[in-house]
Amino acid sequence: MGSAAEPGRRRRYTHGAFDFPREFDHKPDDHRRGSLCDRQCAAINNMQGDLGDVHSGSHQHSIMTPRILPVISTPACCQQLSDELPICDSCPLKTTITAENEVEAAKLSNNYKFGFKKWKSHVTARPWADRSEIVKELYSDLNVIKSSRGSTVTCGNIFYLLLFGWWLSLVYLLVAAVMFLSVVAAPYGKLCWDLAGYFFWPFGKVIQKVEADPPLRKCNTLFNKCTVISEVSNPKESTPLLPQHNVGQGLAGDADATYWHRTDTYVWLLLGYPFLAVAHSLVCFISWLLVFIIPIAKMNARTVTRILLLPPEQVHVQRVRKTEVPLDAEVILCCYRAVNAYYYKYAVDGINVFAVNLLPLVIVTLVLGYVDSHNRFISSPVKFTLSLLSIMPLSYYIGMAIASISAQSNFAVGAVVNATFGSITELTFYITALIKGTREGNKCYEEIVKAALTGTLVGCVLFVPGLCMVIGGIKHQEQKFNSRSAGVSSALLFLSVGGVFAPTLFSKVYGRLVCGECQNITHNPLGHYLCQNCHFDLMANNGTLYYSHVQPLVYTVSLLLPVAYLIGLCFTLKTHCHIYDIHISDCHMPGHHHSAVVHWSRWRALVILLLSTLCMSACADLATEHISPILTSSTVSQYFIGVTVLAMVPELPEIVNGIQFALQNNLSLSIEIGNCIAVQVCMLQIPILVLFTIFYPTGFILVFSDLHVYASMFSVVLMNYIFMDGKCDYFQGTVLVMVYFILLAVYFFAPSPAGC
């Protein structure tokens, strides 16, 4: 029905931009429910080797559909298509998702729908058998002797020696001297002497507990090498710093009854153990904060809770060489590398390690901010900086909670949660800033809020997708995306920008231009005047223009924009969901279709969401409380501070998500992250601020300066021009990033707004 009837008519199909004939209506088809693996294997085994040349018996054209998101558990044929390769199918446009359980599939599906917060991290526990060896290495207990290893002299190990090894060894030597001087605890002195050499350079050495049941060993008699099988065969992402069964074994299960009746034990616990525990705890704390040397943190935590609480005669330190067979004893500690670059993937109960490490910063910020309210110990700029840094982990927790609730609920509940809490980070700061500006009678806060709104809009339209295109383009020569689905949010973005700036354009047409400071540079009454602080006066004649025309227009726009947002949700989630057409594949190995084991249940996610929102409000209150000295003493324009720091810092978790999507050749989600945030700014955040002004008069007027109007409109036009053809590369991303930096330079050199 295509080429035979109209031989001269040709259609060009790409991964993301499709021009369908009308015959291809969206209809349910049994063929679409077939196994994805069968179609993939057929494509791979095709003699022509062309993935786009698998034809249906009833169609002359093959329509290539993009396969998005990686395969978690698939047969060998499917694993070859784990990247963004096209899947041939004779059905209409379809995005195929493979996931290990229904909850994860719902989260992945929500990522493609307008109105849902895009989230990269898993909300369910991933099957351990399907994890890569690199990831499994992150959760190891450091109690496995590996037969063949390279040289232990590496940059990371030398870094450990310079940072920790030398002084930790010195502490052991001092404690050993104390134990020898006590005479009674001489066995512990010998233990400390051995451990001093171990912790000076622990790599390639093993600490074993002798006189215990020999562990299971797997030996190669030909090469005289043995490997001790780890006690923990299936660690999880929620694995703590130490396995639960190891903690306290030195206190209870490992020592016999006579151990606690010995005099040297109490001398050791009073004069030796406390100093070493403090030293190891300090090393453990620093190593955990540095993330990439978490193996050092595990090693020191194991030492404090296990090794130092064993009888000294049961601890044996030995260097493992390739030609030696270790003792038939339980392996307590064996470390080969101090640094592992992949620890940025480490998670605790589904929470990324960086978010875990930044959580104490939130507590410190709140304590210092409200206890030291008069800045006796900490200055205002430091508190402001801490408050902004605390917003980043809280944004992560809010995003994780939203994704968890949405993935375990229907689309209506998910859409409501996303619309309600998706913008809570920015709204808390904007509202607290407006309240503070009203109490102090300072219009500068209102201008800062407007600059932050514009900065978020421009940054999410230019910087976020541009950066993702550059980073993704380095790995992938050309990236393609569904331009039709991106067009939905682009159309809403055009509508929202036009609606938000309509009162501004109206005021410039009908307002009266007033200049505050004018100087006659020629000293001639008829000469030239140089005027500054010019603005359009809307309050002339007792505010007739504003109250009769501008204010009703603002209220009208603030009502229409949320309605348009709801219509967009209905369009993408209900009536025209086939634009996204998410198809959950049944591509799984037999027995590997795991049930959903969620990190956070719905109630737990809801509690975390509410607590994070409460802490976010407190941090936003502290940020606005201590921003005044920065605004008054800074030589940089207040416009620049609002557009950069206040606008983009809360969006850092979203930027990280976008970069991860782009690296997986899934640029559609990287673009949608920026578009959805920009649409929420215009269609939800600004109307909420206007609505808040009705109940709590803050003096917020929806009239922006010319710089905000031109920057926003130019950014939206450029973004739609770049995304018109449904494909991009790193050069186009560079253009977006460069334009963003040019706009930042304009804001940097712009004079501060009037009243600041």
Side-chain angles (χ1 to χ4, degrees), residues 101-120:
N101 56 67
E102 295 180 357
V103 175
E104 198 64 33
K107 188 266 294 184
L108 299 178
S109 177
N110 290 340
N111 274 343
Y112 288 88
K113 299 176 182 177
F114 168 75
F116 284 84
K117 198 176 187 72
K118 317 307 175 189
W119 192 250
K120 176 64 176 63

Side-chain angles (χ1 to χ4, degrees), residues 253-577:
D254 290 335
D256 53 20
T258 59
Y259 173 70
W260 295 104
H261 296 284
R262 293 161 46 177
T263 305
D264 60 343
T265 300
Y266 295 98
V267 174
W268 164 251
L269 293 178
L270 290 176
L271 300 180
Y273 179 80
F275 299 100
L276 295 176
V278 171
H280 281 294
S281 299
L282 179 62
V283 175
C284 182
F285 177 74
I286 297 175
S287 303
W288 180 268
L289 290 182
L290 295 178
V291 175
F292 298 104
I293 58 174
I294 285 182
I296 303 302
K298 292 182 178 180
M299 182 175 64
N300 284 270
R302 178 75 59 83
T303 302
V304 173
T305 58
R306 182 94 191 270
I307 296 175
L308 297 182
L309 295 175
L310 286 173
E313 61 273 8
Q314 291 188 2
V315 179
H316 180 78
V317 180
Q318 179 182 357
R319 176 179 295 275
V320 180
R321 292 185 174 88
K322 296 181 179 180
T323 59
E324 290 182 352
V325 179
L327 296 175
D328 269 338
E330 177 189 356
V331 177
I332 304 178
L333 195 57
C334 184
C335 183
Y336 293 92
R337 294 289 184 270
V339 177
N340 190 333
Y342 289 95
Y343 263 100
Y344 70 91
K345 297 182 177 182
Y346 195 78
V348 179
D349 200 15
I351 307 171
N352 186 268
V353 62
F354 290 101
V356 174
N357 288 349
L358 287 175
L359 187 58
L361 180 65
V362 178
I363 301 175
V364 172
T365 300
L366 296 178
V367 172
L368 292 177
Y370 288 103
V371 174
D372 184 27
S373 57
H374 299 289
N375 299 335
R376 296 177 180 175
F377 304 103
I378 304 296
S379 62
S380 289
V382 174
K383 291 182 180 179
F384 175 76
T385 304
L386 292 177
S387 300
L388 286 183
L389 293 178
S390 300
I391 288 177
M392 291 190 293
L394 293 175
S395 300
Y396 177 91
Y397 285 102
I398 290 175
M400 179 73 171
I402 291 176
S404 298
I405 295 175
S406 300
Q408 300 176 70
S409 309
N410 55 44
F411 75 94
V413 175
V416 170
V417 172
N418 274 266
T420 304
F421 292 93
S423 301
I424 198 69
T425 303
E426 298 84 357
L427 282 174
T428 50
F429 175 79
Y430 300 153
I431 291 176
T432 53
L434 291 176
I435 293 176
K436 182 175 177 60
T438 302
R439 292 175 178 175
E440 296 181 359
N442 189 352
K443 296 290 291 183
C444 186
Y445 287 94
E446 180 183 348
E447 294 299 328
I448 288 295
V449 169
K450 292 179 181 178
L453 288 169
T454 307
T456 304
L457 177 62
V458 173
C460 292
V461 170
L462 295 180
F463 182 70
V464 174
L467 182 63
C468 295
M469 290 163 62
V470 171
I471 296 178
I474 295 175
K475 183 177 180 181
H476 309 280
Q477 183 175 9
E478 185 178 76
Q479 294 182 291
K480 301 182 180 181
F481 55 90
N482 191 338
S483 60
R484 188 180 180 188
S485 61
V488 175
S489 54
S490 298
L492 286 174
L493 190 57
F494 264 116
L495 171 63
S496 58
V497 169
V500 165
F501 293 112
T504 304
L505 299 177
F506 183 89
S507 65
K508 296 186 183 304
V509 172
Y510 296 102
R512 183 170 65 92
L513 183 63
V514 176
C515 294
E517 300 176 5
C518 294
Q519 296 179 357
N520 189 344
I521 59 176
T522 61
H523 302 287
N524 186 352
L526 300 178
H528 297 283
Y529 285 82
L530 180 62
C531 298
Q532 298 178 352
N533 295 331
C534 298
H535 63 281
F536 287 92
D537 186 13
L538 306 178
M539 306 301 293
N541 299 324
N542 296 324
T544 303
L545 177 64
Y546 176 75
Y547 291 111
S548 301
H549 302 280
V550 178
Q551 192 177 58
L553 177 61
V554 170
Y555 292 156
T556 302
V557 168
S558 300
L559 290 177
L560 291 178
L561 289 179
V563 172
Y565 185 84
L566 294 177
I567 294 175
L569 288 179
C570 182
F571 178 84
T572 57
L573 300 182
K574 196 69 177 175
T575 61
H576 287 68
C577 58

Side-chain angles (χ1 to χ4, degrees), residues 449-726:
V449 169
K450 292 179 181 178
L453 288 169
T454 307
T456 304
L457 177 62
V458 173
C460 292
V461 170
L462 295 180
F463 182 70
V464 174
L467 182 63
C468 295
M469 290 163 62
V470 171
I471 296 178
I474 295 175
K475 183 177 180 181
H476 309 280
Q477 183 175 9
E478 185 178 76
Q479 294 182 291
K480 301 182 180 181
F481 55 90
N482 191 338
S483 60
R484 188 180 180 188
S485 61
V488 175
S489 54
S490 298
L492 286 174
L493 190 57
F494 264 116
L495 171 63
S496 58
V497 169
V500 165
F501 293 112
T504 304
L505 299 177
F506 183 89
S507 65
K508 296 186 183 304
V509 172
Y510 296 102
R512 183 170 65 92
L513 183 63
V514 176
C515 294
E517 300 176 5
C518 294
Q519 296 179 357
N520 189 344
I521 59 176
T522 61
H523 302 287
N524 186 352
L526 300 178
H528 297 283
Y529 285 82
L530 180 62
C531 298
Q532 298 178 352
N533 295 331
C534 298
H535 63 281
F536 287 92
D537 186 13
L538 306 178
M539 306 301 293
N541 299 324
N542 296 324
T544 303
L545 177 64
Y546 176 75
Y547 291 111
S548 301
H549 302 280
V550 178
Q551 192 177 58
L553 177 61
V554 170
Y555 292 156
T556 302
V557 168
S558 300
L559 290 177
L560 291 178
L561 289 179
V563 172
Y565 185 84
L566 294 177
I567 294 175
L569 288 179
C570 182
F571 178 84
T572 57
L573 300 182
K574 196 69 177 175
T575 61
H576 287 68
C577 58
H578 61 274
I579 292 178
Y580 302 90
D581 200 9
I582 308 300
H583 178 264
I584 309 300
S585 171
D586 57 350
C587 189
H588 291 279
M589 284 286 287
H592 278 68
H593 193 80
H594 296 267
S595 59
V597 181
V598 294
H599 293 300
W600 298 355
S601 64
R602 275 187 291 252
W603 285 108
R604 182 183 179 186
L606 181 60
V607 171
I608 294 177
L609 180 61
L610 295 177
L611 290 177
S612 300
T613 303
L614 181 62
C615 293
M616 180 72 70
S617 302
C619 291
D621 178 65
L622 291 175
T624 54
E625 183 70 25
H626 298 282
I627 196 177
S628 298
I630 298 177
L631 297 179
T632 55
S633 61
S634 176
T635 57
V636 181
S637 172
Q638 280 77 6
Y639 280 142
F640 183 79
I641 296 176
V643 167
T644 55
V645 178
L646 302 181
M648 298 309 295
V649 168
E651 308 300 336
L652 285 179
E654 308 298 331
I655 296 175
V656 173
N657 277 337
I659 292 174
Q660 291 177 328
F661 286 131
L663 289 175
Q664 291 186 345
N665 203 11
N666 197 352
L667 192 64
S668 295
L669 295 185
S670 300
I671 295 173
E672 286 298 319
I673 284 177
N675 282 353
C676 288
I677 295 176
V679 168
Q680 284 193 348
V681 167
C682 297
M683 291 192 164
L684 289 180
Q685 295 179 17
I686 291 178
I688 289 175
L689 293 179
V690 174
L691 180 64
F692 180 78
T693 302
I694 297 177
F695 297 97
Y696 188 97
T698 60
F700 179 75
I701 300 176
L702 197 62
V703 176
F704 294 82
S705 65
D706 294 348
L707 182 57
H708 295 327
V709 177
Y710 298 148
S712 301
M713 290 188 172
F714 178 74
S715 301
V716 173
V717 172
L718 178 61
M719 182 267 294
N720 281 274
Y721 175 77
I722 293 292
F723 298 153
M724 188 179 300
D725 57 352

